[in-house]
């Protein structure tokens, strides 16, 4: 990973590239794996290697992923990695363009659908997880009355907490501490609504 910061997406081409459901799945799986080949990712998403390779190249064209150093002995397989810690889309970058706003909405819907599917899968498989993991899982909803500034501050604080835990886990894994670690999805939404 080249950058420890989120990649801020502001252009239509990149928004359209990441809005594609298969590309989003590949990006997410690559982020979790940290490095992978098209063959490894194709197995995870149950698609043909040629199709996965095509979509990986599209993600690379938009700077969302990049080639990683060769990790196999023969050096024939191409390894990929995310080019940044993650991606972000800011309303102020898309609000004045109907095309950008529509593409941003498409990204949001793709992400929401995949997050919901991931959570449904956990609920379906919940009883297969050990007691400690079932007890540790989180599902809550809060309905505070906030100002826009308070919601923005809350989001920044939550992101800082999650980044702290993620960076500590990455450092522990790099030091060889992998015992008992699992991939964990934390989905947070904060938005205004009217009953």
């Amino acid at each position: 990973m080249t950058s420890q910061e989120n990649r801020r997406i502001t252009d239509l081409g990149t928004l359209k590239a990441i809005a594609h459901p298969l590309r989003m799945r590949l990006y997410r799986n690559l982020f979790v794996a940290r490095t992978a080949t098209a063959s490894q990712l194709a197995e995870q998403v149950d698609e043909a290697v040629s199709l996965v390779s095509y979509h990986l190249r599209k993600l690379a064209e938009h700077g969302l992923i990049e080639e990683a150093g060769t990790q196999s002995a023969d050096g024939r397989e191409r390894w990929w990695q995310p080019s940044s810690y993650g991606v972000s889309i800011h309303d102020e970058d898309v609000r004045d363009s109907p095309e950008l706003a529509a593409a941003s909405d498409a990204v949001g819907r793709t992400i929401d659908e995949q997050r919901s599917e991931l959570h449904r899968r956990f609920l379906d498989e919940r009883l297969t997880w050990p007691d400690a993991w079932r007890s540790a899982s989180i599902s809550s909803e809060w309905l505070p009355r906030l100002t826009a500034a308070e919601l923005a501050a809350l989001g920044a604080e939550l992101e800082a907490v999650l980044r702290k835990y993620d960076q500590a886990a990455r450092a522990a894994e790099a030091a060889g501490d992998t015992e008992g670690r699992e991939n964990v999805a934390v989905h947070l939404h904060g938005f205004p609504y009217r009953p």
Side-chain angles (χ1 to χ4, degrees):
M1 180 178 325
T2 301
S3 172
Q4 291 298 312
E5 298 301 315
N6 280 343
R7 158 85 188 281
R8 189 168 177 167
I9 301 175
T10 59
D11 66 285
L12 185 60
T14 305
L15 284 169
K16 285 182 175 181
I18 196 71
H20 188 282
L22 178 56
R23 290 182 195 149
M24 181 60 75
R25 285 181 63 208
L26 292 170
Y27 181 84
R28 178 178 274 119
N29 287 7
L30 187 57
F31 188 85
V32 170
R34 295 189 175 84
T35 60
T37 64
S39 298
Q40 292 168 334
L41 292 167
E43 190 174 309
Q44 292 175 17
V45 298
D46 196 27
E47 295 288 351
V49 175
S50 59
L51 179 65
V52 168
S53 292
Y54 168 80
H55 285 296
L56 289 172
R57 287 191 306 273
K58 287 296 179 188
L59 290 170
E61 283 176 23
H62 292 281
L64 297 164
I65 66 171
E66 62 192 12
E67 282 193 57
T70 301
Q71 311 215 355
S72 56
D74 64 14
R76 292 186 308 165
E77 287 193 289
R78 190 181 217 180
W79 287 79
W80 297 97
Q81 66 185 8
S83 58
S84 62
Y85 184 79
V87 296
S88 64
I89 302 166
H90 296 255
D91 181 68
E92 60 267 22
D93 295 332
V94 302
R95 73 172 66 130
D96 294 331
S97 165
E99 277 188 311
L100 286 173
S104 174
D105 291 347
V107 172
R109 285 185 186 90
T110 299
I111 290 169
D112 186 59
E113 288 168 9
Q114 291 182 5
R115 285 177 181 163
S116 294
E117 175 56 32
L118 195 59
H119 189 238
R120 275 192 299 275
R121 194 171 86 205
F122 168 72
L123 293 174
D124 292 344
E125 300 170 352
R126 190 177 65 80
L127 295 177
T128 67
W129 285 94
D131 291 346
W133 281 106
R134 289 197 320 261
S135 294
S137 68
I138 303 164
S139 182
S140 63
E141 181 177 24
W142 297 81
L143 302 171
R145 290 183 52 83
L146 304 175
T147 65
E150 289 167 338
L151 178 57
L154 174 62
E157 287 181 46
L158 291 170
E159 184 175 331
V161 168
L162 290 167
R163 190 177 285 256
K164 177 185 92 170
Y165 275 88
D166 185 53
Q167 289 174 344
R170 287 173 185 261
E173 279 188 305
D177 177 11
T178 58
E179 185 69 30
R181 292 191 183 280
E182 296 283 354
N183 295 316
V184 173
V186 179
H187 300 157
L188 299 170
H189 301 282
F191 52 88
Y193 74 98
R194 292 187 177 104

